[in-house]
Amino acid sequence: MPGDTTDTLGKGDVVSNESLANLLKEERRFAPPADLAAAANVTGAAYAQADADRLGFWAEQARRLTWDTEPTETLDWTNPPFAKWFADGKLNVAYNCVDRHVEAGNGDRVAIHFEGEPGDSRSITYAELKDEVSRAANALTELGVQAGDRVAVYLPMIPEAVVAMLACARVGAAHSVVFGGFSADAVASRIQDADAKLVITADGGYRRGKPSALKPAIDEAVAKCPQVEHVLVVRRTGQDTAFTEGRDVWWDEIVGRQSAEHAPQAFDAEHPLFILYTSGTTGKPKGILHTSGGYLTQASYTHHAVFDLKPESDVYWCTADIGWVTGHSYIVYGPLANGATQVMYEGTPDTPHQGRFWEVVQKYGVTVLYTAPTAIRTFMKWGDDIPAKFDLSSLRVLGSVGEPINPEAWVWYRKHIGGDRCPIVDTWWQTETGAMMISPLPGVTATKPGSAQRALPGIGATVVDDEGHEVPNGGGGYLVLTEPWPSMLRTIWGDDQRFVDTYWSRFEGKYFAGDGAKKDDDGDIWLLGRVDDVMLVSGHNISTTEVESALVSHPSVAEAAVVGAKDETTGQAIVAFVILRGSASETDTLVGELRNHVGATLGPIAKPKRIVPVQELPKTRSGKIMRRLLRDVAEDRAVGDVTTLADSSVMDLIQNKLPSASSED
Ligand code: 6R9
């Protein structure tokens, strides 16, 4: 095909050699800072140790936890893909996250610096957290919750969310946290699927400067869920709240009058800890089941290793919502198991002003910051001058999660937030993996902008082609996990067959992550987005991530989302939706320039057929772009299910834009 310069590396290839060379063209590597490397929690020796004895390595990491009965078994993989880790061990997860730090003499250490959106704040020590979790555990018992039950949690980002989760863990009930932005229907289907008998919610939370009610959605949802016996309601905003006598109970009343003594009972390592729903590409959401000992081992180890977390001196802040897996593993279980001091922020990054995050970093002296590429690109769009007004010199490690981070955003993050001194750890993992799987280590790895690089010690990950053969360096295909890992999902709640079909059937004996990936010449891994998002243009696989990355590397583009739309000639045609930077104006010349820019960066085959400037992109509430909806628009169909969209009006704005969209053949 004329002008086609894309190398084809065989089936399953999702990126050309040439384009990767482009991404790497400046051969940028950032060595770990010498002082960090010299005092790092984990050194390069961990890789060799884990390679020599993988299970021995994880058995050693399990000793980070305090067990009631020490496990003698590490992995039982006799019935794959149903794994058991540390199966003869017993522990209490909440005891590990709270009590043991108090017993070790660290009760006065702050566990959580809470920063409310309206500007209220409170600091909670480990001793106070222990008392509050114990009271809440006693309250759950009074409300009839027992080990083996499920409890749904629908709360804003307030400390009671952490307390509620830990109280469930303490009594052996699995929590199912449902993100506070989901609709009543979405909550109802999750309550039903998990068969939860208690729901914990709040009157509301603060969002964009105003109280936003939560209880009405629960009232509507619970009306459809007869098995729910009680609704426990935290008072946060004080707004008027309908109350059903006999069913509803105020948190401050029932928790407030409990004893602060609660003896934690030990549960089996494989006792369910939580269910977290993640949307499938189609059909009903999947309830991802995580259990106790293996999950906590890997959440704790990765938080210690990847953030180099020093509990005595670091102030850690993960900006995720507790309703996503990142909030579970890196606000609740990892940091608290490690006795960390952390910041928890209730609101949005632009309330009351666009410097709010940097103000929080400055106020608490945050040393380790963990956020998402979508947030970083938003900060880039708002301008360098905003973070420049704040003292960010306390920062020492920066993390990224949720999506591939394009090299432009990576470099901006390092420079404008990290002062060109902080290493960036780009952490690849999923709700299903429970904890980080692929990431640099900040005291070891020479980092590359845009690459998550290599599997963590004790983790097996590689890239395979369509037939499941490992691709050589320089090759592309599908990301797979080659060995079971401690924090792996154990099944899909109530649907073992779907668990087998979704993750373990595509490639024999390997976990299929659903992500496209590429190995570079050093064997480092580059994530290329969900395979469902890969485009097939004139017989070539082109990754949406790469085209988006090329667009964002143009100075006029702040954000981009790319989809493949059906095309009679080429099979699929590339359609790009772009948000322009403040100063750029939408002209045909600019659109032409952008097409040429992508052509020059990736090769002519990757030139978008249409480029549509828009004001906003459709994103899930965790910040992932919903390309499925953009495909509907690009293919001129009615837009599909928008219930997981953060702002449903965005789609109207985008559709209205389309008739004037620039297109070229
Ligand atoms: C933790 C989380 C999982 C999907 C995953 C992948 C994408 C997450 C990434 C990344 C590239 C990274 N993803 N981290 N892609 N680089 N560092 O986000 O879990 O919400 O289940 O999403 O997110 O596509 O498969 P979850």
Coordinates of all heavy atoms in Angstrom, one line a residue, residues 276-279 288 324-326 330 370 373 400-405 425-436 438-439 450-452 479 511 513-516 526-531 533 545 620 622 624, ligand 1:
L276 N -15.0 -6.3 44.2 CA -15.0 -5.0 43.6 C -15.5 -5.2 42.1 O -14.9 -6.0 41.4 CB -13.6 -4.4 43.6 CG -13.5 -3.0 43.1 CD1 -14.5 -2.0 43.8 CD2 -12.1 -2.4 43.2
Y277 N -16.5 -4.5 41.8 CA -17.1 -4.7 40.4 C -16.3 -3.9 39.4 O -16.0 -2.7 39.6 CB -18.6 -4.3 40.4 CG -19.4 -5.3 41.2 CD1 -19.5 -5.3 42.5 CD2 -19.9 -6.4 40.5 CE1 -20.2 -6.3 43.2 CE2 -20.6 -7.4 41.1 CZ -20.7 -7.4 42.5 OH -21.4 -8.4 43.2
T278 N -16.0 -4.5 38.3 CA -15.4 -3.8 37.2 C -16.2 -4.1 35.9 O -16.8 -5.2 35.8 CB -13.9 -4.3 37.1 OG1 -13.3 -3.7 36.0 CG2 -13.8 -5.8 36.9
S279 N -16.3 -3.1 35.1 CA -17.2 -3.2 34.0 C -16.6 -4.1 32.9 O -15.4 -4.0 32.6 CB -17.5 -1.9 33.3 OG -16.3 -1.1 33.2
I288 N -15.1 -8.9 41.0 CA -13.8 -9.4 41.2 C -13.6 -9.8 42.7 O -13.7 -8.9 43.5 CB -12.7 -8.4 40.7 CG1 -13.0 -8.1 39.2 CG2 -11.3 -9.0 40.9 CD1 -13.0 -9.2 38.2
W324 N -12.4 2.7 43.6 CA -11.7 2.0 42.6 C -10.6 1.1 43.3 O -10.2 1.4 44.4 CB -11.0 2.9 41.6 CG -11.9 4.0 41.1 CD1 -11.8 5.3 41.3 CD2 -13.1 3.7 40.4 NE1 -12.9 5.9 40.8 CE2 -13.7 5.0 40.2 CE3 -13.8 2.6 39.9 CZ2 -14.9 5.1 39.5 CZ3 -15.0 2.7 39.2 CH2 -15.5 4.0 39.0
V325 N -10.1 0.2 42.6 CA -9.1 -0.7 43.2 C -7.9 0.0 43.7 O -7.3 -0.3 44.7 CB -8.7 -1.9 42.2 CG1 -7.8 -1.4 41.1 CG2 -8.1 -3.0 42.9
T326 N -7.5 1.1 43.0 CA -6.3 1.9 43.5 C -6.6 2.4 44.9 O -5.7 2.4 45.7 CB -6.0 3.0 42.5 OG1 -5.9 2.5 41.2 CG2 -4.8 3.7 42.8
Y330 N -4.1 1.0 47.5 CA -3.0 2.0 47.8 C -3.6 3.3 48.6 O -2.9 4.3 48.6 CB -2.3 2.4 46.5 CG -1.6 1.2 46.0 CD1 -2.1 0.5 44.9 CD2 -0.5 0.6 46.6 CE1 -1.5 -0.7 44.4 CE2 0.1 -0.6 46.2 CZ -0.4 -1.2 45.1 OH 0.2 -2.4 44.7
Y370 N 0.8 9.7 44.1 CA 0.3 8.7 43.2 C -0.9 9.2 42.5 O -1.9 9.4 43.2 CB 0.1 7.4 44.0 CG -0.1 6.1 43.2 CD1 0.5 5.9 42.0 CD2 -0.8 5.1 43.7 CE1 0.4 4.7 41.3 CE2 -1.0 3.9 43.1 CZ -0.4 3.7 41.9 OH -0.5 2.5 41.2
P373 N -2.7 9.5 34.7 CA -2.4 10.3 33.5 C -3.4 11.3 33.1 O -3.1 12.4 32.7 CB -2.2 9.2 32.4 CG -1.8 8.0 33.1 CD -2.5 8.0 34.4
S400 N 2.2 6.9 38.7 CA 1.2 7.0 37.7 C 0.5 5.7 37.6 O 1.1 4.6 37.6 CB 1.8 7.4 36.4 OG 0.8 7.4 35.3
V401 N -0.8 5.7 37.4 CA -1.6 4.5 37.2 C -2.9 4.8 36.5 O -3.5 5.9 36.6 CB -2.0 3.9 38.6 CG1 -2.8 4.8 39.4 CG2 -2.7 2.5 38.4
G402 N -3.4 3.8 35.8 CA -4.8 3.8 35.2 C -4.9 3.8 33.7 O -5.8 3.3 33.2
E403 N -3.8 4.3 33.1 CA -3.8 4.3 31.6 C -2.3 4.4 31.2 O -1.5 4.7 32.0 CB -4.4 5.6 31.1 CG -5.9 5.7 31.1 CD -6.2 7.1 30.5 OE1 -6.0 8.1 31.3 OE2 -6.5 7.2 29.4
P404 N -2.1 4.1 29.9 CA -0.7 4.4 29.5 C -0.4 5.9 29.6 O -1.3 6.7 29.4 CB -0.7 4.0 28.0 CG -1.9 3.1 27.8 CD -2.9 3.6 28.9
I405 N 0.7 6.2 30.1 CA 1.0 7.6 30.2 C 1.9 8.0 29.0 O 2.9 7.4 28.8 CB 1.7 8.0 31.6 CG1 2.1 9.5 31.6 CG2 2.9 7.1 31.9 CD1 2.4 10.0 33.0
V425 N 7.3 6.3 38.8 CA 7.0 4.9 38.7 C 5.7 4.8 38.0 O 4.6 5.2 38.5 CB 7.0 4.2 40.0 CG1 8.5 4.0 40.5 CG2 6.2 4.9 41.1
D426 N 5.7 4.3 36.7 CA 4.5 4.0 35.9 C 4.1 2.6 36.2 O 4.7 1.7 35.8 CB 4.8 4.2 34.5 CG 3.7 3.9 33.6 OD1 2.6 3.6 34.0 OD2 3.9 3.9 32.3
T427 N 3.0 2.5 37.0 CA 2.6 1.2 37.6 C 1.5 0.5 36.8 O 0.3 1.1 36.8 CB 2.2 1.3 39.0 OG1 1.0 2.2 39.1 CG2 3.3 1.9 39.9
W428 N 1.7 -0.6 36.1 CA 0.6 -1.3 35.4 C 0.1 -2.4 36.3 O 0.8 -3.2 36.9 CB 1.1 -1.9 34.1 CG 0.0 -2.7 33.4 CD1 -0.9 -2.1 32.5 CD2 -0.5 -4.0 33.7 NE1 -1.8 -3.1 32.2 CE2 -1.6 -4.2 32.9 CE3 0.0 -5.0 34.5 CZ2 -2.3 -5.4 32.9 CZ3 -0.7 -6.2 34.5 CH2 -1.8 -6.4 33.7
W429 N -1.3 -2.4 36.4 CA -2.0 -3.4 37.1 C -3.4 -3.2 36.9 O -3.8 -2.4 36.1 CB -1.6 -3.4 38.6 CG -1.9 -2.2 39.4 CD1 -1.3 -1.0 39.3 CD2 -2.9 -2.0 40.4 NE1 -1.8 -0.1 40.2 CE2 -2.8 -0.7 40.9 CE3 -3.8 -2.9 41.1 CZ2 -3.6 -0.2 41.9 CZ3 -4.6 -2.4 42.1 CH2 -4.5 -1.0 42.5
Q430 N -4.3 -4.1 37.5 CA -5.7 -4.1 37.2 C -6.5 -4.4 38.5 O -5.9 -5.0 39.4 CB -6.1 -5.2 36.2 CG -5.3 -5.2 34.9 CD -5.7 -6.3 34.0 OE1 -5.5 -7.5 34.4 NE2 -6.1 -6.0 32.8
T431 N -7.8 -4.2 38.5 CA -8.6 -4.6 39.5 C -8.4 -6.1 39.8 O -8.3 -6.6 40.9 CB -10.1 -4.4 39.2 OG1 -10.3 -3.0 38.8 CG2 -11.1 -4.8 40.3
E432 N -8.3 -6.8 38.7 CA -8.1 -8.3 38.8 C -6.7 -8.7 39.4 O -6.6 -9.7 40.0 CB -8.2 -8.9 37.4 CG -9.5 -8.8 36.7 CD -9.8 -7.5 35.9 OE1 -9.1 -6.5 36.2 OE2 -10.7 -7.5 35.1
T433 N -5.7 -7.9 39.2 CA -4.4 -8.3 39.7 C -4.3 -7.9 41.2 O -3.4 -8.4 41.8 CB -3.2 -7.7 38.9 OG1 -3.1 -6.3 39.1 CG2 -3.3 -8.0 37.4
G434 N -5.1 -7.0 41.6 CA -5.1 -6.6 43.0 C -4.0 -5.7 43.5 O -4.2 -4.9 44.4
A435 N -2.9 -5.8 42.9 CA -1.7 -5.0 43.2 C -0.9 -4.8 42.0 O -1.1 -5.4 41.0 CB -1.0 -5.6 44.4
M436 N 0.1 -3.9 42.1 CA 1.0 -3.6 41.0 C 1.7 -4.8 40.5 O 2.1 -5.7 41.3 CB 2.1 -2.6 41.5 CG 1.5 -1.3 41.9 SD 2.8 -0.4 42.8 CE 1.9 1.1 43.3
I438 N 3.7 -4.5 37.0 CA 4.8 -4.1 36.1 C 5.1 -2.6 36.5 O 4.2 -1.8 36.5 CB 4.4 -4.1 34.6 CG1 3.9 -5.6 34.3 CG2 5.5 -3.7 33.7 CD1 3.4 -5.7 32.8
S439 N 6.3 -2.3 36.8 CA 6.6 -1.0 37.3 C 8.1 -0.9 37.4 O 8.8 -1.8 37.8 CB 6.0 -0.6 38.6 OG 6.5 0.6 39.1
G450 N 7.0 6.9 29.4 CA 6.0 6.2 28.7 C 6.0 4.7 28.8 O 5.1 4.0 28.4
S451 N 7.0 4.1 29.5 CA 7.1 2.7 29.6 C 7.0 2.2 31.1 O 7.6 2.8 31.9 CB 8.4 2.1 29.0 OG 8.6 0.8 29.3
A452 N 6.2 1.2 31.3 CA 6.1 0.6 32.6 C 7.2 -0.3 32.9 O 7.5 -0.7 34.0 CB 4.7 -0.1 32.8
L479 N -0.4 -8.6 26.3 CA 0.2 -8.7 27.6 C -0.3 -10.0 28.3 O -1.6 -10.1 28.4 CB 0.0 -7.5 28.4 CG 0.7 -7.6 29.8 CD1 2.2 -7.4 29.7 CD2 0.1 -6.5 30.7
Y511 N -2.5 -16.0 32.0 CA -3.5 -15.0 32.3 C -3.5 -13.9 31.2 O -2.5 -13.3 30.9 CB -3.3 -14.3 33.7 CG -4.2 -13.2 34.0 CD1 -5.4 -13.4 34.6 CD2 -3.9 -11.9 33.6 CE1 -6.3 -12.3 34.9 CE2 -4.7 -10.8 33.9 CZ -5.9 -11.0 34.5 OH -6.7 -10.0 34.8
A513 N -4.6 -10.4 30.0 CA -4.9 -9.2 30.7 C -5.8 -8.3 29.8 O -6.5 -7.4 30.3 CB -3.6 -8.4 31.0
G514 N -5.9 -8.6 28.5 CA -6.8 -7.8 27.7 C -6.1 -6.5 27.2 O -6.7 -5.6 26.6
D515 N -4.8 -6.3 27.5 CA -4.1 -5.1 27.0 C -3.1 -5.5 25.9 O -2.5 -6.6 25.9 CB -3.3 -4.5 28.2 CG -4.1 -3.7 29.1 OD1 -5.3 -3.7 28.9 OD2 -3.5 -3.1 30.1
G516 N -3.0 -4.6 24.9 CA -1.9 -4.7 23.9 C -0.6 -4.2 24.5 O -0.6 -3.3 25.4
W526 N 6.0 -1.8 27.0 CA 5.2 -0.6 26.7 C 3.7 -1.0 26.6 O 3.4 -1.9 25.8 CB 5.6 0.1 25.4 CG 7.0 0.6 25.5 CD1 8.2 -0.1 25.5 CD2 7.4 2.0 25.5 NE1 9.3 0.7 25.5 CE2 8.8 2.0 25.5 CE3 6.7 3.2 25.5 CZ2 9.6 3.2 25.6 CZ3 7.4 4.4 25.5 CH2 8.9 4.4 25.6
L527 N 2.9 -0.4 27.4 CA 1.4 -0.8 27.3 C 0.8 0.1 26.2 O 1.0 1.2 26.1 CB 0.8 -0.5 28.7 CG 0.9 -1.6 29.7 CD1 0.4 -3.0 29.2 CD2 2.3 -1.7 30.3
L528 N -0.1 -0.6 25.5 CA -0.7 0.1 24.3 C -2.2 0.2 24.4 O -2.9 0.3 23.4 CB -0.3 -0.6 23.1 CG 1.3 -0.6 22.9 CD1 1.7 -1.5 21.8 CD2 1.7 0.9 22.5
G529 N -2.8 0.0 25.6 CA -4.2 0.2 25.7 C -4.9 -1.2 25.6 O -4.3 -2.2 25.3
R530 N -6.3 -1.1 25.8 CA -7.1 -2.4 25.7 C -7.1 -2.9 24.3 O -7.2 -2.1 23.4 CB -8.5 -2.0 26.2 CG -8.6 -1.4 27.6 CD -8.2 -2.3 28.7 NE -9.1 -3.5 28.7 CZ -8.7 -4.6 29.4 NH1 -7.6 -4.7 30.0 NH2 -9.5 -5.7 29.4
V531 N -7.0 -4.2 24.2 CA -7.0 -4.8 22.8 C -8.2 -4.4 22.1 O -8.2 -4.3 20.8 CB -6.7 -6.3 22.8 CG1 -5.2 -6.6 23.1 CG2 -7.6 -7.1 23.6
D533 N -9.5 -1.8 21.8 CA -9.3 -0.4 21.3 C -8.3 -0.4 20.2 O -8.1 0.7 19.6 CB -8.9 0.5 22.4 CG -9.9 0.8 23.4 OD1 -11.1 0.7 23.1 OD2 -9.6 1.1 24.6
T545 N -3.4 4.2 21.6 CA -2.5 4.9 22.5 C -1.4 5.7 21.8 O -1.1 6.8 22.1 CB -1.8 3.9 23.5 OG1 -2.9 3.3 24.2 CG2 -0.8 4.5 24.4
T620 N -14.8 7.7 32.1 CA -15.4 7.0 33.2 C -15.1 7.8 34.4 O -14.2 8.7 34.4 CB -14.8 5.6 33.5 OG1 -13.4 5.8 33.8 CG2 -15.0 4.7 32.3
S622 N -13.4 7.0 36.8 CA -12.0 6.8 37.2 C -11.0 7.4 36.2 O -9.8 7.2 36.3 CB -11.7 5.3 37.5 OG -11.8 4.6 36.3
K624 N -10.8 7.0 32.8 CA -10.5 6.3 31.6 C -11.4 6.7 30.4 O -12.6 6.9 30.6 CB -10.6 4.8 31.7 CG -9.6 4.2 32.7 CD -9.7 2.7 32.8 CE -8.7 1.9 33.6 NZ -8.3 2.4 34.8
Ligands
6R9_1 C1 -5.3 -0.1 38.5 C2 -6.3 0.1 37.5 C3 -7.0 -1.8 34.5 C4 -6.6 -1.3 33.1 C5 -5.5 -2.1 32.5 C6 -4.9 -1.1 31.5 C7 -5.0 0.2 32.2 C8 -3.7 0.7 34.3 C9 -1.8 1.3 33.5 C10 -2.7 0.9 32.5 C11 -1.0 1.4 30.9 C12 -0.5 1.7 33.2 N1 -3.8 0.6 33.0 N2 -2.5 1.1 34.7 N3 -2.2 1.0 31.2 N4 -0.1 1.7 31.9 N5 0.4 2.1 34.1 O1 -6.4 1.0 36.7 O2 -7.3 -0.9 37.4 O3 -9.5 0.1 36.7 O4 -9.1 -2.4 36.7 O5 -8.0 -0.9 35.0 O6 -6.1 0.0 33.1 O7 -5.6 -1.1 30.4 O8 -5.9 -3.3 31.9 P1 -8.6 -1.0 36.5

